[in-house]
Amino acid sequence: MCGILAVLGCSDDSQAKRVRKWYTCIIVYFFFKIGYRLRHRGPDWSGLYQNGDNYLAHQRLAVIDPASGDQPLFNEDKTIVVTVNGEIYNHEELRKRLKNHKFRTGSDCDVIAHLYEEYGVDFVDMLDGIFSFVLLDTRDNSFMVARDAIGVTPLYIGWGLDGSVWISSEMKGLNDDCEHFETFPPGHFYSSKLGGFKQWYNPPWFNESVPSKPYEPLAIRRAFENAVIKRLMTDVPFGVLLSGGLDSSLVASITARHLAGTKAAKQWGPQLHSFCVGLEGSPDLKAGKEVAEYLGTVHHEFHFSVQDGIDAIEDVIYHVETYDVTTIRASTPMFLMSRKIKSLGVKMVLSGEGSDEIFGGYLYFHKAPNKHEFHQETCRKIKALHKYDCLRANKSTSAFGLEARVPFLDKDFINTAMSLDPESKMIKPEEGRIEKWVLRRAFDDEERPYLPKHILYRQKEQFSDGVGYSWIDGLKDHAAQNVNDKMMSNAAHIFPHNTPNTKEAYYYRMIFERFFPQNSARLTVPGGATVACSTAKAVEWDASWSNNMDPSGRAAIGVHLSAYDGSKVALPIPPLKAIDDMPMMMGQGVVIQT
């Protein structure tokens, strides 16, 4: 991931220019901004471009074409300028369609300026990847800004008193200079010519109408394998995050099967590296090590203590830019792990975010009353991912110049999975169908197993639970030592928006407000009732949940194996047969304990 910052239409009498007066001072100011506030996102290169009253800045994390892909990027005559954060997985195919264009670099993002030149603003849907970009057309002084379909890459937009438009990968690039700023909506672009936003991503599932396509396990398998394979595009060392749960284990298994023969394998070796984090004796460490040994990865196991996590909370909130309890709980272990991964020289990892939203994998989906409610909840969850798991995965890793790629959020895979009749996704213990049954069944291959059976059917753990149950308990205890009852009694007066209803939430909110005191900042964070990561609407599925509003998976009383009342779930059903003769890499796992 990279960091981008732009100021568009900064007029001559603007406050910024009155304060800094000289052009040279503005240049220094921008380098200060990008270097010290966003540099963690891309420490490899700093780029700056100015044309009239428009300024584009870029902080690069070099993953594709490290030698020549520095930004900003241009078309042939440099009249179109673009600064990009992201990866365009189909860039080679797009280059073939642009036969009359000459490219200056081998960067996957180099196609964007040329696509605009060829097709205008409507080219965005042609991009297969994750991206946020600002494009300036100097021929008429117009500009456009766009964000990927689901919001895997973070992006914010703000407005200055002088009418200027500000764009930044993170809030911290805007919060001192804009009169108002907000989250840039995923699947949209902003055009100065149109004078506002336009939605470019509008797939059939977006209107939440219930689909009726029959479940075809092999179609799910092929679509997800394709999603993983296209994300093996890299010119730098990479690995996979492996918690030992279903989602990360499938990503690791498919990567291990297909790594041999890729450009990455030729450059960095054919054996996959995997990474796991947890408290001593946590469920994830045990399961992650087992899967790593099964797949033959070079496994790196990182331990942290509850105190280590507590000590990092302020840094986590500063980097992830949220006060949401679930996100902070899960971001902290990922933040600590990312620092260790980057120290090993790795610059990119594959991760398993998105599966639970697509397939109804959270434990509260057990209580979905019918397929209509089930499907609509999955739609709501996917649309909100940019506020939660995408935010966590991107900013926790980018804090240390590490890029996270999420194959479950591939556009084609989402379309395949969300076209299924949701009846096939429904959780029915009496029929042996646990959460994410359709995904488990798709990869249950007796002849050439992707995973050990008990891993393939391991019950869902929230990341913040899987790293060790004492992690959440420790956070609550720490918050109780820093927030007293009197503070809670006045919470609604101190924080009228998204009033914290627990001491843990209050503690996070105090830290957030210290870093981001603007009203615009607090409005970017979602709120509302939730249990076990549900939306507020799904809380209505079980009346008992209103008395146990905790985002932990254990709050799904009567569902989780380690729930607060110790309930049980069903066993898997018979598997599928093999479909493809694909080699699987095997070998000895190596565990590095830190």
Side-chain angles (χ1 to χ4, degrees):
M1 288 294 121
C2 302
I4 63 174
L5 178 68
V7 181
L8 304 156
C10 186
S11 60
D12 288 336
D13 61 347
S14 71
Q15 181 179 356
K17 287 191 176 180
R18 287 200 308 271
V19 172
R20 296 168 187 95
K21 293 183 179 179
W22 313 111
Y23 171 77
T24 303
C25 293
I26 295 176
I27 295 294
V28 172
Y29 171 70
F30 267 84
F31 269 117
F32 174 82
K33 278 279 236 182
I34 198 73
Y36 290 92
R37 296 193 183 181
L38 299 180
R39 189 179 181 186
H40 55 275
R41 296 190 60 86
D44 297 332
W45 171 264
S46 297
L48 181 69
Y49 175 85
Q50 179 265 335
N51 181 273
D53 54 4
N54 301 302
Y55 301 84
L56 307 182
H58 186 267
Q59 200 71 36
R60 187 186 184 204
L61 178 67
V63 176
I64 303 296
D65 187 25
S68 68
D70 298 333
Q71 296 191 34
L73 298 165
F74 304 88
N75 66 336
E76 291 89 342
D77 60 7
K78 293 191 174 183
T79 57
I80 299 170
V81 193
V82 63
T83 179
V84 192
N85 168 34
E87 306 291 344
I88 309 302
Y89 302 121
N90 64 334
H91 73 104
E92 292 182 351
E93 173 191 334
L94 293 172
R95 285 172 185 261
K96 294 176 182 177
R97 297 175 62 172
L98 297 165
K99 295 180 180 179
N100 297 325
H101 292 258
K102 294 182 180 180
F103 299 91
R104 297 175 178 271
T105 77
S107 168
D108 53 297
C109 297
D110 208 356
V111 297
I112 292 176
H114 301 276
L115 286 169
Y116 171 82
E117 192 173 29
E118 192 75 21
Y119 300 101
V121 296
D122 294 323
F123 75 90
V124 184
D125 197 31
M126 299 169 64
L127 302 175
D128 183 7
I130 53 174
F131 53 83
S132 298
F133 67 80
V134 179
L135 184 149
L136 176 65
D137 188 340
T138 64
R139 297 171 299 185
D140 58 7
N141 205 37
S142 64
F143 65 87
M144 69 174 294
V145 186
R147 189 179 183 189
D148 63 69
I150 305 300
V152 176
T153 60
L155 194 65
Y156 298 85
I157 183 171
W159 292 267
L161 283 173
D162 62 335
S164 57
V165 177
W166 293 62
I167 304 294
S168 178
S169 294
E170 296 186 2
M171 275 198 300
K172 57 183 67 69
L174 304 179
N175 61 355
D176 290 337
D177 299 279
C178 294
E179 184 70 13
H180 172 75
F181 59 86
E182 60 193 45
T183 302
F184 195 101
H188 285 70
F189 69 78
Y190 182 97
S191 168
S192 61
K193 291 180 178 179
L194 297 176
F197 294 98
K198 179 179 179 180
Q199 184 176 353
W200 66 264
Y201 180 65
N202 189 26
W205 62 268
F206 219 76
N207 63 12
E208 301 183 10
S209 59
V210 179
S212 58
K213 187 175 181 179
Y215 170 50
E216 297 180 14
L218 302 187
I220 293 293
R221 186 191 295 189
R222 291 191 181 100
F224 187 60
E225 288 195 319
N226 289 337
V228 173
I229 292 168
K230 71 175 68 171
R231 282 161 178 79
L232 301 183
M233 177 186 79
T234 178
D235 292 328
V236 298
F238 82 103
V240 295
L241 304 185
L242 180 57
S243 69
L246 173 67
D247 306 329
S248 66
S249 298
L250 283 177
V251 172
S253 178
I254 295 168
T255 302
R257 289 191 178 210
H258 292 277
L259 182 58
T262 64
K263 180 180 178 182
K266 293 176 182 177
Q267 286 182 299
W268 309 110
Q271 195 170 20
L272 180 65
H273 286 250
S274 58
F275 308 94
C276 186
V277 66
L279 302 177
E280 190 74 44
S282 68
D284 281 1
L285 289 179
K286 179 181 177 182
K289 181 178 180 180
E290 182 179 1
V291 175
E293 291 176 346
Y294 180 80
L295 298 177
T297 69
V298 180
H299 192 56
H300 307 267
E301 188 176 277
F302 305 122
H303 296 179
F304 76 103
S305 67
V306 172
Q307 190 59 50
D308 291 334
I310 289 172
D311 291 343
I313 288 293
E314 291 201 9
D315 287 339
V316 169
I317 292 174
Y318 173 76
H319 279 286
V320 181
E321 302 181 323
T322 188
Y323 51 82
D324 175 69
V325 171
T326 313
T327 305
I328 295 169
R329 286 177 175 180
S331 294
T332 305
M334 197 170 195
F335 177 87
L336 295 172
M337 176 171 56
S338 297
R339 179 167 56 192
K340 297 289 188 180
I341 293 173
K342 187 59 185 289
S343 72
L344 297 175
V346 173
K347 297 178 75 172
M348 185 272 283
V349 291
L350 273 67
S351 190
E353 280 75 17
S355 172
D356 294 312
E357 287 75 13
I358 295 169
F359 294 104
Y362 292 108
L363 299 183
Y364 72 88
F365 275 94
H366 279 250
K367 300 295 182 73
N370 53 61
K371 70 177 186 179
H372 297 273
E373 289 276 358
F374 190 105
H375 179 72
Q376 289 168 359
E377 177 71 358
T378 60
C379 293
R380 291 190 292 266
K381 290 292 291 181
I382 296 172
K383 292 176 184 178
L385 265 169
H386 68 285
K387 303 175 185 178
Y388 297 101
D389 284 19
C390 288
L391 189 83
R392 166 180 57 79
N394 184 280
K395 292 183 180 179
S396 296
T397 54
S398 292
F400 299 100
L402 180 67
E403 176 177 308
R405 296 182 180 177
V406 283
F408 278 108
L409 298 182
D410 180 82
K411 280 198 303 181
D412 292 338
F413 178 71
I414 292 176
N415 289 339
T416 299
M418 292 302 289
S419 68
L420 298 179
D421 186 332
E423 182 66 31
S424 62
K425 298 181 182 179
M426 290 284 287
I427 301 163
K428 298 183 178 181
E430 69 279 3
E431 298 179 16
R433 286 165 48 173
I434 65 173
E435 64 276 356
K436 292 187 286 193
W437 171 82
V438 293
L439 182 63
R440 301 176 196 271
R441 173 80 187 230
F443 286 93
D444 197 342
D445 189 329
E446 287 284 1
E447 295 181 9
R448 300 185 63 254
Y450 284 79
L451 295 169
K453 188 79 69 177
H454 62 284
I455 294 292
L456 190 63
Y457 289 94
R458 182 190 178 197
Q459 190 181 36
K460 163 69 182 171
E461 293 276 13
Q462 253 88 282
F463 185 37
S464 51
D465 286 329
V467 298
Y469 293 132
S470 60
W471 167 233
I472 292 176
D473 298 334
L475 285 173
K476 290 180 177 179
D477 291 343
H478 179 72
Q481 295 171 17
N482 288 272
V483 179
N484 58 41
D485 294 339
K486 185 178 180 180
M487 296 163 74
M488 288 301 299
S489 67
N490 290 310
H493 301 291
I494 300 169
F495 304 117
H497 176 74
N498 282 347
T499 303
N501 57 8
T502 67
K503 291 183 177 180
E504 185 185 4
Y506 194 108
Y507 178 64
Y508 299 154
R509 185 65 173 272
M510 286 193 301
I511 298 172
F512 178 88
E513 295 280 343
R514 195 164 72 243
F515 290 129
F516 307 104
Q518 299 83 353
N519 187 55
S520 292
R522 63 182 66 100
L523 293 176
T524 65
V525 181
T530 181
V531 62
C533 292
S534 74
T535 66
K537 178 66 176 176
V539 173
E540 301 172 5
W541 293 351
D542 190 318
S544 67
W545 285 345
S546 61
N547 299 318
N548 189 28
M549 304 303 291
D550 192 288
S552 168
R554 291 176 289 165
I557 295 174
V559 175
H560 195 282
L561 289 169
S562 298
Y564 301 124
D565 69 344
S567 300
K568 304 294 182 182
V569 294
L571 296 174
I573 67 167
L576 293 172
K577 297 294 184 180
I579 56 171
D580 293 314
D581 183 20
M582 292 180 289
M584 184 174 185
M585 296 174 56
M586 301 298 291
Q588 297 297 317
V590 178
V591 178
I592 300 177
Q593 295 190 356
T594 302

